């Protein structure tokens, strides 16, 4: 059993305040105007729009019966006839026992239903907790990626709830494809996103492949594999061939023979004559020279072709190819190195024509480079196409982004879905069980209604009410059952031809209405009613009664409700009367363990609030008034209540100690003292409930009131009593 009543934004309950209890019997003390009645009104009519910010937990599936002024107005002031109260007659004991047994079974079913409802709430709360945690995790996506991909979040992050719905929808689409992973590169996504959002971006120029046909023709020329030597018909051919130094002879011939000198550069003798020159010139004839010239031309052409290959930087394209592309740099460098090496080899051939050389075949390297250039070219085409169709590309990019995000959060999403589905399955099972229980409850109620028709009547409630009236010494009026099918009650008063509730005194009205309420709690207004679980709410039932009846009403409440836990699940009793309040603790020490006490007060803002009230804090009337003054000093109550509180204290103190009238004492004690004029005016009020007190008191100077109040005790020689009563409890 755990009940929580929260009051907010109604009457004097401006700030939320809560009454929470795990006890069956609950006593709530508060002065008139503190806010007791608003709670009883709320419990009686929870769907009233004015109570929209108030809440109650723990009273579901219970019939709440409320006694307050609204109950009296509805059942007595607004009608001369009261609806009959149906009770089971005692004659047919076997049927009555059957009904009682069915009621117990019904109670068990309702308890099980209520237990399932609590479990449903727990499951629902758990789902909300799971959802809340998941929303927090999903919201991290926004925090992490919004700045980099702002366009993709527009319209999706109005709230965490909206974003959660969007992510769930995306997750269903993407994860339903049963992909095990995705190969989306986040940095590439950012790069593509930035390109699409760069207003200054223009189309990129394509890259041409490098033709290697002419390189290939030169590299395949057979001349490089020829042994180029002089004229073999020359007289000195055999000698040069034997020595194998034709290239050396040619180099010497080119450097020294054309000079008009007879001195050999080696022996320094005059051995070079015209005949020797002729022999060498005959050896290195026109054919030889043409071969050398051909190689030199091939060399120049090869170099020229090499020089026309663009520099590596000329291939670079923004967002597509740059110096970070190591693969391209490697392929480009391989081609360049091979060409440079071939140029060196050709130079060697020119230097040593008789030496065979094999040029590197660059076809494969050119092919690799050109293949890569083709790939780059394709990327350029795609890049330019994207620029020309940005809407479509943005859509594709956004799709890829959310796929990346979903896979990044896949584990969290799948866990959330699993946990939510598990809880939903349990909720479905509980709902199914409750449907079955509701059917069983309906069956039991139908059987009870059928059996009640045999034994139910309204007369026994009449007899009990009249017996209670006699016990209370009230003999001048009674109630009786009205004839006819309506089965109503009327109040009969001696000497009056027409019965009327309105002719009764205020005390009599309170008694008859409360006795009627007691019987209603024990019976039912509708003969087909089967609900046995009841919550009883009683709001100040002795407000208009003389002191003689306070004890009797307290005993009736204890006798009717306290010992019958099977019928009355919880009782809430509101009162402003401390004597009435104390009566409920006079059943022995065990009763205190079953009761929880509360106090309703007003703070300095004049707002009502509820506090737990410990047993050692329960005071008599006189102490309670002093407690109000102390709580004002602590900032807990509004100054509006100070004048009437001081008046009550002084009336009791002067009446008991000095047997003096407060009015005469005040007029004498503060005669002609203008400082305390307002204090005297309030102390001289004829009625504590004077409406002017309520409207004027907010203007009082509380400090002057306390000054005058303390002065009275000091002047009478009872300052010690004042100080003792105002002392804070340790």
């Amino acid at each position: 059993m755990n009940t929580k009543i929260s009051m907010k934004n109604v009457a004097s309950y401006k700030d939320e305040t809560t009454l929470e209890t795990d006890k069956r019997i609950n006593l709530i003390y508060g002065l008139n105007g503190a806010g007791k009645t608003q709670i009883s009104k709320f419990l009686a009519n929870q769907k009233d729009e004015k109570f929209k910010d108030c809440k109650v937990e723990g009273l579901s599936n219970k019939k709440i019966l409320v006694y307050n002024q609204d109950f009296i107005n509805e059942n007595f002031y607004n009608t001369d006839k009261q609806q009959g109260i149906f009770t089971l007659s005692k004659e047919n004991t076997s049927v009555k026992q059957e009904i009682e047994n069915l009621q117990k079974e019904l109670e068990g079913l309702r308890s099980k239903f209520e237990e399932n409802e609590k479990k449903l709430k727990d499951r629902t709360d758990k789902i909300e907790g799971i959802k809340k945690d998941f929303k927090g995790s999903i919201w991290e996506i926004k925090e992490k990626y919004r700045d980099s991909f702002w366009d993709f979040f527009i319209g999706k992050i109005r709230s965490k709830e909206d974003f959660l719905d969007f992510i769930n929808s995306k997750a269903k689409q993407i994860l339903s494809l049963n992909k095990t992973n995705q190969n989306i590169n986040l940095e590439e996504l950012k790069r593509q996103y930035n390109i699409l959002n760069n207003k200054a971006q223009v189309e990129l120029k394509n890259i041409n492949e490098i033709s290697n046909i002419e390189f290939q023709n030169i590299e395949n020329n057979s001349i490089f594999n020829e042994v180029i030597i002089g004229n073999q018909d020359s007289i000195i051919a055999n000698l040069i061939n034997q020595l194998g130094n034709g290239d050396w002879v040619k180099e010497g011939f080119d450097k020294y023979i054309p000079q008009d000198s007879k001195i050999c550069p080696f022996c320094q003798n005059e051995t070079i004559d015209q005949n020797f020159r002729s022999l060498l010139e005959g050896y290195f004839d026109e054919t030889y020279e043409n071969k050398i010239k051909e190689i030199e031309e091939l060399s120049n052409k090869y170099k020229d072709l090499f020089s026309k290959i663009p520099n590596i930087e000329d291939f670079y394209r923004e967002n597509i190819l740059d110096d970070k592309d190591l693969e391209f740099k490697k392929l480009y460098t391989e081609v360049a190195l091979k060409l440079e090496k071939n140029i060196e080899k050709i130079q060697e051939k020119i230097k040593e024509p008789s030496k065979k050389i094999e040029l590197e075949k660059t076809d494969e390297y050119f092919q690799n480079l050109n293949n890569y250039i083709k790939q780059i070219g394709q990327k350029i085409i795609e890049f330019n196409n994207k620029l020309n169709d940005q809407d479509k590309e943005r859509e594709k990019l956004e799709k890829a982004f959310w796929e990346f995000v979903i896979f990044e959060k896949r584990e969290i999403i799948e866990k959330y879905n699993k946990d939510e589905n598990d809880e939903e399955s349990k909720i479905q099972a509980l709902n199914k069980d409750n449907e079955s229980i509701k059917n069983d409850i309906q069956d039991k109620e139908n059987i009870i209604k059928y059996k009640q028709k045999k034994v139910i009547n309204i007369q026994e409630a009449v007899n009990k009410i009249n017996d209670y009236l006699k016990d209370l010494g009230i003999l001048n009026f009674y109630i009786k059952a009205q004839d006819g099918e309506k089965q109503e009650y009327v109040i009969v008063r001696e000497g009056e031809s027409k019965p009327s509730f309105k002719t009764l005194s205020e005390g009599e009205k309170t008694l008859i209405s409360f006795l009627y309420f007691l019987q209603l709690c024990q019976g039912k207004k509708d003969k087909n009613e089967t609900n046995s679980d009841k919550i009883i709410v009683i709001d100040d039932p002795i407000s208009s009664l003389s002191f003689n009846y306070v004890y009797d009403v307290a005993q009736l409440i204890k006798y009717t409700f306290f010992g019958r836990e099977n019928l009355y699940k919880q009782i809430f009793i509101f009162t402003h009367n401390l004597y009435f309040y104390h009566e409920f603790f006079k059943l022995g020490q065990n009763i205190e363990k079953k009761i929880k006490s509360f106090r309703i007060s007003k703070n300095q803002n004049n707002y009502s609030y509820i506090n737990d009230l410990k047993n050692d804090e329960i005071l008599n009337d006189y102490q309670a008034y002093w407690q109000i003054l102390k709580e004002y000093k602590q900032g807990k109550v509004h100054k509006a209540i100070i004048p009437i509180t001081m008046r009550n204290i002084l009336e009791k103190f002067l009446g008991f100690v000095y047997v003096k009238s407060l009015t005469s004492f005040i007029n004498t004690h503060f005669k002609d003292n203008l400082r305390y004029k307002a204090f005297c005016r309030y102390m001289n009020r004829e009625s504590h409930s004077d409406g002017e007190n309520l409207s004027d008191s907010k203007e009082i100077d509380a400090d002057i009131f306390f000054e005058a109040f303390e002065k009275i005790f000091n002047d009478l020689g009872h300052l010690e009593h004042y100080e003792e009563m105002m002392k804070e409890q340790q």
Side-chain angles (χ1 to χ4, degrees):
M1 180 188 303
N2 191 15
T3 298
K4 182 177 179 181
I5 302 169
S6 298
M7 303 295 293
K8 184 180 179 183
N9 290 333
V10 61
S12 56
Y13 292 98
K14 303 302 181 185
D15 297 331
E16 184 173 16
T17 185
T18 301
L19 184 157
E20 189 165 5
T21 178
D22 58 356
K23 301 294 185 182
R24 181 172 169 269
I25 302 169
N26 300 277
L27 303 178
I28 301 95
Y29 170 77
L31 296 177
N32 286 334
K36 303 186 298 297
T37 296
Q38 286 301 323
I39 299 179
S40 73
K41 285 176 175 287
F42 167 54
L43 294 176
N45 191 7
Q46 297 174 35
K47 294 183 179 180
D48 192 320
E49 178 64 19
K50 70 180 181 181
F51 296 117
K52 60 183 175 63
D53 294 325
C54 302
K55 296 179 290 187
V56 61
E57 299 175 15
L59 300 183
S60 59
N61 299 321
K62 302 289 191 300
K63 184 177 180 64
I64 301 178
L65 297 171
V66 179
Y67 178 82
N68 57 14
Q69 190 59 46
D70 290 344
F71 175 86
I72 298 173
N73 293 341
E74 180 182 346
N75 291 281
F76 291 91
Y77 275 103
N78 299 332
T79 177
D80 287 331
K81 298 177 182 179
Q82 288 71 48
Q83 188 173 341
I85 299 171
F86 294 92
T87 56
L88 300 176
S89 63
K90 297 179 179 178
E91 288 76 10
N92 197 336
T93 56
S94 61
V95 176
K96 186 178 179 183
Q97 185 61 51
E98 287 179 28
I99 292 174
E100 288 179 359
N101 292 338
L102 287 167
Q103 289 281 13
K104 289 179 182 178
E105 293 176 18
L106 192 58
E107 183 180 344
L109 288 170
R110 285 176 175 151
S111 295
K112 187 176 179 183
F113 184 86
E114 186 174 345
E115 184 180 341
N116 277 359
E117 288 293 298
K118 289 178 181 177
K119 289 179 180 178
L120 280 168
K121 185 179 183 305
D122 290 342
R123 294 295 176 195
T124 302
D125 290 345
K126 189 171 182 180
I127 286 179
E128 284 302 312
I130 293 170
K131 189 175 182 180
K132 183 179 179 182
D133 292 341
F134 182 59
K135 279 194 287 190
S137 297
I138 292 304
W139 196 248
E140 292 173 2
I141 296 171
K142 181 210 71 164
E143 302 296 337
K144 187 175 181 181
Y145 295 118
R146 180 179 58 176
D147 292 342
S148 298
F149 299 95
W150 169 249
D151 291 355
F152 299 160
F153 287 90
I154 294 175
K156 302 176 181 67
I157 52 174
R158 288 184 293 268
S159 68
K160 288 186 177 181
E161 195 70 33
D162 289 341
F163 193 52
L164 175 65
D165 292 341
F166 170 76
I167 290 295
N168 275 337
S169 175
K170 278 293 177 187
K172 286 179 181 177
Q173 295 174 16
I174 294 168
L175 298 180
S176 64
L177 301 176
N178 293 321
K179 284 187 179 181
T180 56
N181 55 35
Q182 49 84 29
N183 298 314
I184 298 171
N185 183 289
L186 180 63
E187 291 305 315
E188 179 62 18
L189 281 178
K190 286 182 181 179
R191 194 176 69 81
Q192 295 291 338
Y193 177 84
N194 291 332
I195 290 170
L196 290 176
N197 284 277
N198 183 1
K199 303 300 183 184
Q201 182 67 56
V202 296
E203 289 190 28
L204 300 180
K205 186 179 179 181
N206 198 11
I207 300 176
N208 295 320
E209 297 178 37
I210 305 172
S211 174
N212 72 318
I213 295 175
E214 293 187 76
F215 285 106
Q216 188 177 4
N217 290 336
I218 294 172
E219 290 163 3
N220 292 331
N221 197 309
S222 60
I223 195 171
F224 297 108
N225 203 30
E226 289 183 21
V227 177
I228 300 173
I229 57 177
N231 183 3
Q232 295 301 304
D233 293 331
S234 173
I235 296 173
I236 61 172
N238 288 334
L239 175 62
I240 292 173
N241 290 338
Q242 283 180 347
L243 294 174
N245 60 353
D247 296 330
W248 178 78
V249 173
K250 178 68 167 86
E251 184 178 1
F253 175 75
D254 290 338
K255 284 184 178 181
Y256 303 110
I257 297 305
Q259 298 176 12
D260 190 14
S261 174
K262 297 179 181 181
I263 298 173
C264 175
F266 302 105
C267 66
Q268 294 299 309
N269 292 319
E270 292 185 5
T271 58
I272 300 176
D273 55 17
Q274 185 60 39
N275 184 47
F276 183 66
R277 280 192 180 90
S278 298
L279 289 174
L280 289 177
E281 288 173 354
Y283 183 77
F284 297 110
D285 60 5
E286 184 179 355
T287 301
Y288 180 90
E289 290 299 332
N290 287 338
K291 292 282 186 181
I292 299 302
K293 185 178 180 181
E294 182 181 351
I295 295 172
E296 288 175 344
E297 288 175 352
L298 289 173
S299 175
N300 291 333
K301 186 175 182 180
Y302 203 83
K303 289 178 183 179
D304 183 57
L305 290 171
F306 185 25
S307 67
K308 289 179 180 178
I309 294 177
N311 293 328
I312 192 168
E313 291 81 5
D314 295 335
F315 289 91
Y316 292 160
R317 297 292 185 272
E318 182 185 5
N319 299 309
I320 298 294
L321 182 64
D322 56 25
D323 59 2
K324 295 182 180 63
D325 193 325
L326 300 181
E327 179 64 16
F328 180 76
K329 187 179 288 187
K330 170 178 164 290
L331 295 174
Y332 181 90
T333 303
E334 284 178 346
V335 169
L337 289 175
K338 293 298 178 184
L339 294 177
E340 288 172 355
K341 193 169 184 180
N342 280 344
I343 289 171
E344 290 176 3
K345 287 186 176 183
I346 294 172
Q347 291 304 310
E348 290 178 14
K349 181 66 174 176
I350 293 172
K351 187 176 181 180
E352 299 181 57
S354 63
K355 183 180 179 181
K356 292 182 178 181
I357 63 169
E358 187 75 31
L359 295 182
E360 297 266 359
K361 299 298 185 288
T362 57
D363 182 59
E364 180 181 349
Y365 298 98
F366 271 104
Q367 187 64 41
N368 292 337
L369 178 60
N370 284 328
N371 286 341
Y372 201 83
I373 289 174
K374 284 180 184 177
Q375 295 176 26
I376 300 300
Q378 186 60 39
K379 289 182 179 180
I380 291 172
I381 293 171
E382 293 172 359
F383 180 88
N384 291 335
N385 288 339
K386 289 177 182 179
L387 287 181
N388 293 326
D389 194 357
Q390 291 196 23
D391 291 341
K392 182 178 179 181
E393 290 305 316
R394 194 181 301 276
E395 184 181 332
K396 287 165 60 178
L397 193 62
E398 183 173 357
K399 181 180 179 183
F401 169 74
W402 289 116
E403 183 177 335
F404 173 85
V405 166
I406 295 300
F407 270 90
E408 185 181 51
K409 292 289 186 179
R410 179 174 188 168
E411 185 176 343
I412 293 173
I413 293 170
E414 290 180 340
K415 184 179 185 303
Y416 164 72
N417 288 331
K418 180 181 181 302
D419 291 346
E420 185 182 43
N421 289 337
D422 289 346
E423 293 303 319
E424 288 289 353
S425 296
K426 292 171 183 176
I427 287 174
Q428 289 176 9
L430 286 169
N431 281 327
K432 185 177 180 181
D433 191 28
N434 265 3
E435 281 299 315
S436 176
I437 293 172
K438 282 201 292 189
N439 291 334
D440 291 343
I441 288 173
Q442 186 64 54
D443 291 342
K444 288 284 187 295
E445 287 178 342
N446 290 337
I447 296 172
I448 290 172
K449 289 175 186 177
Y450 173 75
K451 291 186 178 294
Q452 281 181 166
K453 290 178 181 178
K454 301 178 181 180
V455 293
I456 201 164
N457 65 73
I458 65 168
Q459 186 59 43
E460 290 201 20
V462 171
N463 296 339
K464 285 185 179 180
I465 292 173
N466 288 331
D467 287 344
Y468 280 135
L469 289 172
K470 290 177 184 177
D471 291 342
L472 293 171
I474 298 174
L475 304 176
N476 59 342
F477 71 90
Y478 60 92
I479 67 167
K480 72 174 184 178
Q482 182 83 330
D483 293 334
E485 295 184 0
K486 290 186 178 180
Q487 296 182 303
E488 297 172 328
Y489 301 153
V490 293
I491 297 172
V492 180
R493 189 178 180 89
E494 297 296 336
E496 291 185 2
S497 58
K498 184 178 180 181
S500 175
F501 175 77
K502 296 172 185 174
T503 64
L504 303 179
S505 69
E506 290 304 314
E508 289 171 338
K509 290 174 183 176
T510 299
L511 281 174
I512 193 69
S513 63
F514 188 66
L515 291 175
Y516 179 82
F517 177 76
L518 289 183
Q519 290 306 305
L520 180 60
C521 292
Q522 297 171 75
K524 55 200 75 180
K525 278 188 175 182
D526 186 345
K527 61 184 177 182
N528 290 322
E529 184 182 321
T530 60
N531 196 318
S532 60
D533 290 351
K534 296 175 182 177
I535 304 295
I536 307 301
V537 180
I538 301 172
D539 181 13
D540 248 346
I542 45 86
S543 58
S544 301
L545 295 180
S546 66
F547 187 78
N548 295 334
Y549 292 122
V550 172
Y551 170 81
D552 295 317
V553 172
Q555 301 311 308
L556 279 172
I557 291 173
K558 288 190 286 188
Y559 172 76
T560 304
F561 301 118
F562 279 23
R564 305 174 74 178
E565 297 185 14
N566 61 319
L567 291 179
Y568 310 109
K569 298 305 177 184
Q570 264 186 317
I571 302 101
F572 295 87
I573 303 170
F574 297 83
T575 185
H576 74 289
N577 189 294
L578 281 170
Y579 175 80
F580 182 69
Y581 183 89
H582 282 289
E583 280 300 309
F584 295 108
F585 292 93
K586 294 180 180 179
L587 293 177
Q589 293 182 347
N590 288 335
I591 193 65
E592 291 185 6
K593 297 178 181 178
K594 298 181 180 180
I595 295 177
K596 187 164 185 179
S597 299
F598 301 89
R599 182 179 179 183
I600 302 178
S601 309
K602 285 188 175 180
N603 60 23
Q604 287 192 322
N605 293 323
N606 211 25
Y607 297 170
S608 295
Y609 66 97
I610 303 169
N611 278 342
D612 289 0
L613 187 60
K614 299 177 182 177
N615 290 339
D616 58 2
E617 295 175 336
I618 300 173
L619 313 170
N620 59 35
D621 283 320
Y622 185 66
Q623 290 171 316
Y625 288 128
W626 282 97
Q627 181 65 27
I628 291 170
L629 297 185
K630 288 192 285 187
E631 290 184 355
Y632 172 78
K633 294 285 190 180
Q634 297 166 1
K636 294 182 178 179
V637 299
H638 194 268
K639 67 181 180 180
I641 201 171
I642 297 304
I644 194 170
T645 301
M646 289 180 173
R647 177 187 171 97
N648 282 323
I649 292 173
L650 291 173
E651 280 184 338
K652 290 180 182 293
F653 180 79
L654 293 170
F656 181 77
V657 177
Y658 292 100
V659 196
K660 287 185 177 181
S661 161
L662 174 61
T663 301
S664 61
F665 173 81
I666 289 294
N667 290 336
T668 302
H669 198 73
F670 290 113
K671 184 178 181 181
D672 300 326
N673 191 327
L674 296 179
R675 180 173 176 80
Y676 303 130
K677 183 178 179 180
F679 176 81
C680 294
R681 181 165 64 89
Y682 276 99
M683 294 306 107
N684 283 329
R685 298 285 183 180
E686 290 299 322
S687 170
H688 298 185
S689 60
D690 187 344
E692 292 184 17
N693 282 336
L694 296 177
S695 60
D696 295 347
S697 58
K698 62 186 178 182
E699 306 299 337
I700 70 168
D701 186 331
D703 292 339
I704 292 179
F705 270 62
F706 272 94
E707 181 183 312
F709 185 69
E710 182 179 356
K711 180 174 173 56
I712 290 173
F713 286 94
N714 183 54
D715 293 349
L716 292 174
H718 291 283
L719 183 60
E720 184 178 352
H721 176 70
Y722 173 85
E723 291 174 344
E724 179 66 25
M725 297 305 290
M726 289 296 290
K727 183 173 65 177
E728 294 292 334
Q729 290 183 347
Q730 301 297 322

